[in-house]
Amino acid sequence: QVQFVESGGGLVQPGGSLRLSCAASGIIFSAYVMGWYRQAPGKQRERVAIIYSGGSTSYADSVKGRFTISRDNAENTVYLQMNSLKPEDTAVYYCNTNVPRNNAWGQGAQVTVVS
């Protein structure tokens, strides 16, 4: 059974930083392109970053230059370092494979950016 468990969310002021972690199980983690997604209240879920098995990355324009995705294949974990956070980054953040497994969404990590 594929499972993703996110952690590291919290409340932060604008300009602050957070680091999210996602532990994966039930898949051959190193073989998959992994992604971070977010869903703000009243909005559709959007993908914000992906990382390939070898470490290449791609970002949504809205987070480029502020967020950094990384992975540890030995620990089956993907990370999202978020810097220079803005109120519009407020959302629940999820990880999943690049082609999302719809029955494997975790509980997510709430990120709230407020003055």
Side-chain angles (χ1 to χ4, degrees), residues 10-113:
L11 180 69
V12 64
Q13 292 184 334
S17 298
L18 285 173
R19 189 192 194 207
L20 304 182
S21 300
C22 171
S25 59
I27 59 171
I28 302 174
F29 180 79
S30 61
Y32 283 89
V33 181
M34 293 298 300
W36 278 98
Y37 303 78
R38 68 185 181 186
Q39 187 166 21
K43 295 188 177 181
Q44 288 191 329
R45 188 176 288 157
E46 63 172 345
R47 190 178 66 193
V48 297
I50 61 170
I51 184 166
Y52 293 82
S53 302
S56 298
T57 59
S58 180
Y59 299 91
D61 287 344
S62 58
V63 307
K64 200 172 294 183
R66 301 187 297 120
F67 289 11
T68 302
I69 187 172
S70 60
R71 66 191 295 162
D72 184 336
N73 288 336
E75 295 293 330
N76 289 359
T77 301
V78 60
Y79 303 97
L80 187 67
Q81 177 67 44
M82 304 184 294
N83 298 330
S84 302
L85 282 161
K86 304 176 180 180
E88 53 263 44
D89 295 319
T90 295
V92 180
Y93 286 72
Y94 305 87
C95 75
N96 207 317
T97 49
N98 184 40
V99 179
R101 295 170 176 261
N102 287 325
N103 62 347
W105 292 105
Q107 83 288 350
Q110 175 69 51
V111 173
T112 304
V113 185

